[in-house]
């Protein structure tokens, strides 16, 4: 029981006794030191990898996660992976600083000659970009997804790949929102913006995956049919399209050849939707 406890009944924040005479400059210094330490730790898990751009053939370096050094600790309902040491999603996009060609690492080398021409004509002219020094901030990472998306549009990428980019961009924005600190200046506005942007990205992903399901054959951006169906179901449930979600969940649960991990997730999603409807 502290001297100033119970102040929240007046709608006021609790005063912590060790904060009363604390020097604000000292606190700032501590926060800065902590930030520096975090950056140093994140840098430990990154390497500068050299790439030869398939479009302009120039050499450049880009930061990559040393994949064997990070540990997956779980995933969100929509399969967004969570790692113990850092958010690997920030380092997914490779950007050539010379010509502006950018994509996810998985598709970086798979570009046709006709598409290279489209990059040169629509992206390279006037492209200016400086590779960030040190770790990528969330804003750096989100910019890199924007550049990758501009490239996907320029080269007329298929719907599943464009949707997958939107999905990963939405996940990255969620990562940013989780790092915002309550009580800091501008927190409410920034959180609101993040939530709006995440919803926009995930809604685009849902629409794109639905279009891909009608037009393309698996794999869809490296995913099998059951993973795609689960993702459409989880995103549809998020945006209130319960009819679409329920249909896909029912077919996933009854499909014995579907990926077992995904069937398990589909059952969990069904339970969540049912209990959400009850409440
Ligand atoms: Zn290039």
């Amino acid at each position: 029981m502290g001297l100033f406890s119970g102040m929240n009944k007046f709608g006021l924040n609790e005063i912590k006794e060790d904060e009363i005479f604390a020097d604000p400059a000292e606190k700032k210094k501590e926060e800065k030191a902590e930030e520096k330490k975090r950056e140093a730790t994140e840098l430990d898990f990154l390497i500068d990898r050299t790439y030869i751009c398939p479009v302009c053939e120039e050499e450049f370096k880009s930061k990559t996660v040393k994949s064997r050094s990070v540990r997956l600790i779980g995933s969100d309902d929509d399969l967004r992976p969570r790692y113990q040491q850092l958010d690997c999603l920030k380092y997914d996009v490779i950007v050539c600083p010379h010509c502006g060609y950018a994509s996810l690492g998985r598709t970086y080398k798979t570009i046709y000659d006709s598409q290279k021409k489209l990059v040169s004509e629509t992206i390279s002219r006037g492209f200016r970009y400086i590779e960030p020094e040190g770790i990528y901030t969330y804003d750096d990472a989100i910019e890199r997804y924007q550049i990758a998306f501009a490239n996907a549009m320029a080269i007329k990428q298929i719907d599943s790949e464009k949707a997958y980019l939107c999905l990963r961009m939405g996940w990255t924005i969620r990562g940013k929102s989780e790092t915002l600190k309550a009580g800091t200046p501008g927190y409410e506005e920034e959180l609101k913006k993040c939530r709006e942007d995440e919803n926009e990205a995930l809604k685009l992903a849902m629409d794109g995956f639905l279009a891909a399901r009608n037009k393309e054959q698996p794999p869809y951006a490296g995913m099998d049919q059951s993973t795609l169906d689960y993702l459409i179901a989880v995103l549809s449930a998020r945006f209130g399209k319960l009819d679409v979600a329920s249909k896909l969940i029912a077919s996933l649960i009854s499909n014995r050849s579907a990926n077992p991990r995904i069937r398990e997730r589909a059952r969990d999603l069904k339970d969540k939707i049912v209990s959400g409807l009850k409440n």
Side-chain angles (χ1 to χ4, degrees):
M1 185 80 173
L3 184 61
F4 298 103
S5 64
M7 286 176 62
N8 48 11
K9 72 177 174 212
F10 309 118
L12 299 172
N13 289 333
E14 296 277 338
I15 297 171
K16 293 191 188 107
E17 283 165 25
D18 57 354
E19 280 180 354
I20 296 173
F21 303 110
D23 181 355
E26 204 54 41
K27 199 173 172 209
K28 258 234 141 93
K29 244 200 290 187
E30 272 172 31
E31 277 173 8
K32 273 227 155 110
E34 212 170 278
E35 180 85 30
K36 272 234 151 76
K37 209 169 122 193
R38 226 189 3 256
E39 279 197 18
T41 320
E42 183 157 331
L43 270 179
D44 284 345
F45 296 98
L46 303 174
I47 44 163
D48 277 319
R49 183 168 289 170
T50 304
Y51 292 90
I52 306 280
C53 173
V55 174
C56 69
E57 292 171 10
E58 293 274 354
E59 191 180 294
F60 67 95
K61 282 190 165 51
S62 186
K63 290 202 171 55
T64 311
V65 177
K66 295 182 207 163
S67 54
R68 283 196 202 131
S69 63
V70 291
R71 197 163 79 90
L72 186 71
I73 49 169
S75 53
D76 294 348
D77 280 350
D78 59 8
L79 309 180
R80 170 201 170 207
R82 288 172 177 273
Y83 296 88
Q84 189 175 39
Q85 294 86 354
L86 74 158
D87 189 348
C88 296
L89 288 163
K90 288 199 292 175
Y91 298 92
D92 265 358
V93 174
I94 304 169
V95 180
C96 169
H98 305 289
C99 73
Y101 171 56
S103 95
L104 294 173
R106 187 174 52 79
T107 51
Y108 198 71
K109 285 183 185 161
T110 47
I111 176 163
Y112 302 114
D113 287 343
S114 57
Q115 292 176 315
K116 290 178 189 173
K117 200 164 161 256
L118 290 170
V119 172
S120 309
E121 286 167 2
T122 51
I123 302 284
S124 306
R125 262 181 227 159
F127 181 75
R128 282 182 303 275
Y129 183 73
I130 298 168
E131 173 83 14
E133 281 186 29
I135 67 163
Y136 296 163
T137 63
Y138 272 106
D139 288 338
D140 292 334
I142 292 163
E143 275 175 12
R144 293 170 75 84
Y145 275 100
Q146 289 170 337
I147 301 169
F149 200 76
N151 272 270
M153 293 295 289
I155 66 170
K156 305 183 190 337
Q157 188 55 283
I158 52 174
D159 290 338
S160 56
E161 292 292 349
K162 282 189 287 190
Y164 191 64
L165 259 178
C166 291
L167 177 72
R168 296 188 87 86
M169 192 168 174
W171 288 344
T172 308
I173 296 166
R174 188 181 311 156
K176 176 181 174 180
S177 70
E178 288 167 355
T179 62
L180 299 176
K181 286 200 181 97
T184 51
Y187 168 75
E188 297 290 342
E189 294 80 37
E190 215 169 341
L191 185 65
K192 185 167 170 263
K193 167 111 183 32
C194 279
R195 294 217 168 120
E196 284 168 1
D197 289 351
E198 180 188 333
N199 274 333
E200 201 180 325
L202 295 184
K203 201 157 182 308
L204 282 170
M206 176 183 74
D207 293 343
F209 285 140
L210 271 167
R213 193 177 191 274
N214 292 328
K215 285 192 264 178
E216 300 172 25
Q217 296 296 320
Y220 306 95
M223 298 181 289
D224 62 16
Q225 186 72 52
S226 53
T227 308
L228 180 88
D229 286 354
Y230 172 77
L231 269 176
I232 296 174
V234 82
L235 294 173
S236 300
R238 176 181 176 127
F239 295 111
K241 296 188 170 190
L242 293 183
D243 50 335
V244 179
S246 312
K247 241 192 211 162
L248 287 168
I249 291 168
S251 88
L252 279 169
I253 293 174
S254 63
N255 179 3
R256 284 166 190 279
S257 64
N259 176 336
R261 193 175 56 93
I262 291 293
R263 280 178 79 196
E264 188 59 45
R265 289 224 174 220
R267 278 186 213 104
D268 291 346
L269 180 60
K270 183 184 164 192
D271 293 345
K272 276 186 189 162
I273 291 174
V274 170
S275 76
L277 286 177
K278 274 188 200 151
N279 298 329

